[in-house]
Amino acid sequence: MKIVKRLLNYAAFYKKLIIGALIMLALSVAADLTGPFVAKKIIDSHILGIESTWYEAGKGKDAVKYDGNWYKRADYFAKGEKKGREVHVLQVGNQFVFVNEAVPIEGRRTFENQSLIIKKDGKEQRAQAVKLTSQEVMRFYQPEIPRIIKLVAFYFSLVILSSIFQYGQSFYLQKAANRIIQKMRNDIFTHISRLPIRYFDNMPAGKVVARVTNDTEAIRELYVTVLANFFSSTINIFGVLIALYILDPRVGTIGLLLIPIIVIWTMVYRKFASKYNHIIRERVSDINGMINESISGMSIIQAFGRERETKQSFENLNREHYSYQNKMLHLNSLTGGNLIGVIKVLALMAFVWYFGGISLTASSAISLGMMYAIVDLISRLLHPLHGIVNQFANLEQALVAGERAFSLLDEQGVAVSDENMSRYKGNVQFENVSFGYKDNEYVLRDISFSAKQGETVALVGHTGSGKSSIMNLLFRFYDSSEGQIKIDGTNILDIPHQTLREHMGIVLQDPYLFTGTIASNISLNHKGITREMVKKSLRDVGGDKVLKHLPLGLDEPVIEKGGTLSSGQRQLISFARALAFNPAILILDEATASIDTETEAIIQEGMEVLKKGRTTFIIAHRLSTIKNADQILVLDKGRIAELGTHEELMELKGKYYQMYKLQAGPHKGMAG
C-alpha cells in the first residue's frame, strides 16, 4: 500500500531507534517464551521426578536414607558409579508408596493390603509396597529442592530481564514515534506555508488544523501502539508455534490454523472499518472547522441571535460522528475480545478432546509438565492474536489519518528559494493583464498601467470591481491568466515568490496580529530588525503617542489577533511593521477605514513618512484620503474605466466624479 510505504519512509528517518526498540522487544518475547519450558522442567524433572527409577546406593550427594539404606535417582548417578537394587517411589491417589523391587510405572495403580496393583492392557501385576509418611516423602524430595530453587531463580531472572527489555522497547519506540510525528508536523506546517492562497479559498482553517493535530496524533498511535503490538504478537505467534512443535508436532500443526484465521479476519474487518474511519475523520475535521468558524464569528452569532441554529448545525455533525463511532464500536465488539474468547475455548476443548485419553492414564504423572506447558502456550498463542485484533481499530485510523495528511503534503506547493536580490526600485508595469479565480470567469480584463518609483497609485471602484485582485497578482498570491506584470522591467514570474515579497509590504484594513508582544509583531522576529529599528518605526508613524499608556510599552503582551487592543492601536502596529521592513513597494488596503478620526490624523502623518521613496498602492473607498495620489485607477467590472489625477478625473466628470460627489454630498448638505 502506498500509505503504508510512506509511513515506513518516515520511520526510516529514525530506523536506529526503531530497530533497537524492536530488538529489545524480540529479546523480551524470547525471555517470556522460555518460561513454559522452565515450568515444564520443574514439574516433569523435579516435582514429578520422584517417580523416576531409584537404585540402592552408598551414602553421598543426592542420596536419600530410608529404612537404614541409601537410595539415589537413576539420572543422578555419576558415570561408572555402582548401582544396587532397583526400587520405586510411586503415587497412588493422594499418597506415596515405596516398592522394594522393579515394577512398571505405566498403568492404573491401586494400593490394597500393603500390595501395589498395576493394571495395564488387561494384565495385572502385584508387588509388596509400604506407605510413606509425609516426612519420608519429603526426604525423597530433598535432592530436588536445590534444583527447583535454581530453576525458579532462573525463571524469575527471565521475568526481570523481560521487563527490562519491555521497558527499553517501550521507551525507544515512543521516543522514535514522537520524533517521527514531530518531523511530520513540521513538514505539514512548512508545506502549509508554501501552499498557494488559492488552496485556502476552499479549505476551512479548522480542517487544516485537524490534519496537523488530530491526524498526526492518530498516526503516532501507529508507531507507538500498533507497531509494538503487531511486532511482539507476530514474534509471539511464531515463537509459540515453534515451541509447540518442539513439545508436540501435532499441536503445532493445529496452531497453524490461526494464520488463515488472522488473514480472513483482517480482510473482513478492513472492509467495514476503512469506510467508517474515513467518515469519522471527516466529521472530526468538520467539527473543528465549525468550532473555529463559530469562535471567530461569535459576536455575529450572538448579535443576530443565531445561537440555536448554530447549535443545531453542530449537533447534526456531532450526531453523525457519534453514529459512525457506534458502528465502529459494534464492529470492534463483534471482531474483538468476544471472538477471541470463543476461539480460546474451542482450542482448549479440542486439546482436551484429542489428548484426553492419554492424559487420564497413569503416564499422566510424567506428562503433567508437558500438559501444563501446552495449555500455557495455547493461551499465549491466543493472547497475541487478541493483541493484533485489538489494534485493528488503531491501525485503520492511522492509515486513514495518514491518507489525509499525505493528501495535504501532495498538494502542489510553491518552491522555496533562498535566493536574495538587492532591493529593487519599485517601477511596476501591468501589461494587458487578465485574471480569474475560476477558469473562464475573469475578474480582471486587459489591465494596463504603470507606476514609477516613489509614486502613489490609488485603486477605487465598487465592491467586486477587481481592486484586491490586482494586489493579489502583484504579490503573486495568484498568477495572471494572461498578460505580464513587471517590476523594474523583470517579469515577476521569473522572480521566486519569497524573493519578490522580500521587498514588499502590506497594511490591511483589519491588520492581523500574532500572539506575542508589540515588539515581536512589528519585527516578526526578523533577525535583521533590531529593537531600535522597532522603536524608530513606531515613532515615525506616530504610534508612540497612542501606545504610550500601555504599562509594558513594546513588551506589552498581544493575544491572538490583538483582541485586547483597539482598531487604531492594531493599525499603528501594522504601519510600524511595514516601515520596519523598509519595502520598495507598499500596499495600503483600506488602511484607515476602521479607525477613529483622531487616530486617522496621526496615521495620515505617518503615511507620508511611510510612502517616501516607495511605490505605494492604496485601495480606498473614502475618496477624500487619496486626493494627493499621483494616479487614480477607477475600476469597473474588472476593467480600468478611468485613469488620472484627482483634478483630471473631476474635470472628466465620469464615474470618479459621481462617486466623489456621492460621498461628499451629504457633508455639504450638513454644512449648508
Side-chain angles (χ1 to χ4, degrees):
M1 288 174 59
K2 184 180 177 183
I3 300 301
V4 173
K5 184 178 179 181
R6 295 183 71 171
L7 289 169
L8 290 175
N9 287 340
Y10 263 95
F13 286 105
Y14 306 101
K15 59 187 176 186
K16 289 182 179 179
L17 278 175
I18 294 175
I19 291 172
L22 295 182
I23 289 173
M24 286 187 172
L25 182 57
L27 292 172
S28 170
V29 170
D32 198 37
L33 284 176
T34 308
F37 288 90
V38 177
K40 177 183 179 298
K41 178 75 173 175
I42 291 173
I43 294 170
D44 282 351
S45 298
H46 301 294
I47 294 177
L48 299 179
I50 193 174
E51 293 199 346
S52 299
T53 302
W54 293 73
Y55 291 97
E56 192 173 336
K59 181 179 179 182
K61 183 183 178 185
D62 295 325
V64 176
K65 187 177 182 181
Y66 171 71
D67 197 24
N69 295 316
W70 292 87
Y71 301 96
K72 187 187 292 189
R73 272 179 58 172
D75 42 356
Y76 291 164
F77 275 84
K79 188 176 182 179
E81 188 178 351
K82 187 178 179 182
K83 297 177 181 177
R85 186 176 69 257
E86 180 181 338
V87 299
H88 289 277
V89 177
L90 300 175
Q91 184 177 6
V92 183
N94 59 358
Q95 61 187 356
F96 284 87
V97 297
F98 181 83
V99 184
N100 200 15
E101 59 183 280
V103 293
I105 62 174
E106 293 183 359
R108 186 173 180 180
R109 304 167 186 164
T110 55
F111 182 62
E112 298 175 1
N113 300 322
Q114 303 300 312
S115 292
L116 174 67
I117 306 167
I118 300 174
K119 296 179 180 179
K120 184 181 180 184
D121 299 330
K123 297 179 181 179
E124 181 181 293
Q125 184 171 344
R126 290 175 176 265
Q128 289 295 314
V130 180
K131 180 181 176 181
L132 296 173
T133 64
S134 57
Q135 290 85 358
E136 289 169 335
V137 172
M138 283 306 298
R139 262 187 249 154
F140 281 98
Y141 267 118
Q142 203 63 39
E144 314 305 325
I145 292 175
R147 292 174 170 86
I148 291 174
I149 290 173
K150 285 181 181 179
L151 286 171
V152 169
F154 177 63
Y155 185 87
F156 186 66
S157 65
L158 285 175
V159 171
I160 294 175
L161 196 64
S162 175
S163 299
I164 292 171
F165 285 129
Q166 189 70 25
Y167 168 80
Q169 71 85 17
S170 177
F171 176 81
Y172 286 109
L173 203 57
Q174 290 202 46
K175 183 177 180 180
N178 288 334
R179 294 295 298 274
I180 290 167
I181 298 307
Q182 179 189 30
K183 176 174 174 53
M184 186 176 289
R185 281 181 174 157
N186 280 339
D187 288 350
I188 293 174
F189 188 80
T190 302
H191 190 68
I192 288 171
S193 66
R194 296 173 185 168
L195 290 175
I197 299 300
R198 189 187 297 273
Y199 176 81
F200 300 100
D201 292 342
N202 302 310
M203 179 63 73
K207 288 194 173 186
V208 178
V209 170
R211 299 198 181 186
V212 180
T213 55
N214 298 28
D215 289 340
T216 53
E217 192 59 31
I219 295 170
R220 180 182 175 278
E221 285 299 308
L222 171 70
Y223 295 109
V224 173
T225 310
V226 178
L227 181 63
N229 270 282
F230 271 51
F231 192 81
S232 64
S233 296
T234 302
I235 290 177
N236 266 297
I237 288 172
F238 282 103
V240 169
L241 288 174
I242 292 169
L244 285 173
Y245 264 106
I246 293 171
L247 292 173
D248 192 309
R250 292 167 295 178
V251 182
T253 303
I254 293 170
L256 286 174
L257 293 173
L258 282 177
I259 295 175
I261 289 174
I262 293 173
V263 173
I264 295 169
W265 203 328
T266 304
M267 291 170 64
V268 172
Y269 181 88
R270 289 210 62 207
K271 180 181 178 182
F272 296 98
S274 179
K275 174 186 172 184
Y276 296 161
N277 273 307
H278 268 96
I279 296 174
I280 289 169
R281 305 307 301 182
E282 280 296 327
R283 292 302 158 266
V284 168
S285 288
D286 292 340
I287 288 170
N288 276 337
M290 185 171 183
I291 291 172
N292 184 68
E293 185 180 65
S294 298
I295 291 172
S296 299
M298 189 58 68
S299 57
I300 302 299
I301 291 171
Q302 294 183 0
F304 286 89
R306 307 308 295 169
E307 293 92 343
R308 185 176 298 173
E309 288 75 11
T310 305
K311 175 176 174 283
Q312 187 60 48
S313 298
F314 183 83
E315 281 185 356
N316 291 339
L317 288 175
N318 209 16
R319 191 182 300 113
E320 189 175 1
H321 178 264
Y322 168 78
S323 170
Y324 278 92
Q325 284 280 31
N326 261 359
K327 289 181 180 181
M328 275 300 302
L329 183 63
H330 290 145
L331 181 63
N332 290 333
S333 297
L334 287 171
T335 60
N338 296 330
L339 193 53
I340 286 290
V342 172
I343 292 175
K344 183 175 182 179
V345 171
L346 290 174
L348 291 175
M349 285 175 62
F351 173 75
V352 171
W353 173 76
Y354 189 77
F355 293 95
I358 301 173
S359 301
L360 295 174
T361 63
S363 62
S364 61
I366 296 173
S367 62
L368 185 58
M370 172 83 78
M371 291 280 290
Y372 171 83
I374 290 176
V375 170
D376 187 10
L377 287 169
I378 288 175
S379 297
R380 288 170 182 263
L381 187 61
L382 292 167
H383 180 72
L385 179 60
H386 196 184
I388 289 175
V389 171
N390 277 348
Q391 294 307 315
F392 278 168
N394 287 334
L395 172 63
E396 200 56 46
Q397 285 180 22
L399 292 177
V400 172
E403 184 180 336
R404 287 161 51 82
F406 289 130
S407 70
L408 177 58
L409 285 170
D410 288 339
E411 288 290 335
Q412 188 64 42
V414 176
V416 176
S417 172
D418 295 329
E419 180 183 334
N420 291 314
M421 64 183 295
S422 56
R423 187 175 183 271
Y424 43 71
K425 294 178 180 179
N427 296 306
V428 177
Q429 190 171 359
F430 276 63
E431 296 178 353
N432 308 112
V433 173
S434 296
F435 168 71
Y437 293 99
K438 297 180 180 178
D439 292 340
N440 300 320
E441 293 184 21
Y442 288 121
V443 294
L444 293 176
R445 296 178 179 85
D446 199 28
I447 300 294
S448 296
F449 70 91
S450 60
K452 296 179 181 178
Q453 179 186 5
E455 283 190 348
T456 298
V457 178
L459 306 176
V460 300
H462 298 294
T463 301
S465 60
K467 304 184 297 294
S468 296
S469 296
I470 289 178
M471 296 303 97
N472 285 338
L473 293 179
L474 186 59
F475 258 95
R476 282 201 73 188
F477 292 145
Y478 303 87
D479 287 330
S480 60
S481 307
E482 298 174 13
Q484 295 184 24
I485 303 172
K486 296 180 179 179
I487 294 180
D488 293 350
T490 302
N491 191 328
I492 63 171
L493 297 180
D494 298 329
I495 306 173
H497 292 73
Q498 291 78 12
T499 308
L500 173 73
R501 296 167 189 161
E502 185 181 354
H503 303 298
M504 287 186 179
I506 189 168
V507 179
L508 300 171
Q509 178 179 346
D510 186 16
Y512 197 96
L513 300 187
F514 299 91
T515 302
T517 64
I518 290 175
S520 69
N521 269 282
I522 293 173
S523 68
L524 296 181
N525 297 317
H526 193 286
K527 295 178 181 178
I529 300 176
T530 64
R531 190 174 179 85
E532 287 305 315
M533 293 168 67
V534 169
K535 288 181 180 179
K536 185 178 186 304
S537 299
L538 194 61
R539 186 168 58 249
D540 288 347
V541 299
D544 56 333
K545 301 172 187 175
V546 179
L547 299 171
K548 63 183 178 183
H549 68 281
L550 297 177
L552 299 178
L554 285 174
D555 297 315
E556 184 72 21
V558 176
I559 63 171
E560 184 185 4
K561 295 184 180 180
T564 56
L565 300 172
S566 69
S567 298
Q569 289 172 328
R570 291 199 299 271
Q571 197 61 279
L572 283 166
I573 292 171
S574 185
F575 267 92
R577 177 195 296 165
L579 184 59
F581 277 82
N582 189 29
I585 297 174
L586 176 65
I587 296 171
L588 305 176
D589 187 356
E590 282 294 327
T592 61
S594 58
I595 54 180
D596 58 85
T597 307
E598 183 181 348
T599 307
E600 182 181 0
I602 295 172
I603 288 179
Q604 288 291 355
E605 293 178 14
M607 280 175 63
E608 296 306 314
V609 175
L610 198 57
K611 292 191 295 184
K612 282 182 181 177
R614 297 179 174 84
T615 306
T616 306
F617 292 87
I618 302 175
I619 298 174
H621 286 292
R622 280 196 277 181
L623 304 183
S624 59
T625 62
I626 58 165
K627 290 167 67 175
N628 297 325
D630 297 297
Q631 289 186 72
I632 298 174
L633 274 66
V634 182
L635 296 168
D636 182 41
K637 296 179 182 178
R639 297 182 184 275
I640 298 178
E642 298 172 5
L643 190 154
T645 63
H646 172 74
E647 290 77 14
E648 290 170 348
L649 295 176
M650 289 299 287
E651 287 178 10
L652 190 62
K653 292 191 177 181
K655 290 183 178 294
Y656 180 81
Y657 176 83
Q658 293 172 3
M659 292 167 63
Y660 190 83
K661 287 296 183 183
L662 190 63
Q663 289 188 13
H667 299 290
K668 288 184 177 181
M670 288 174 64

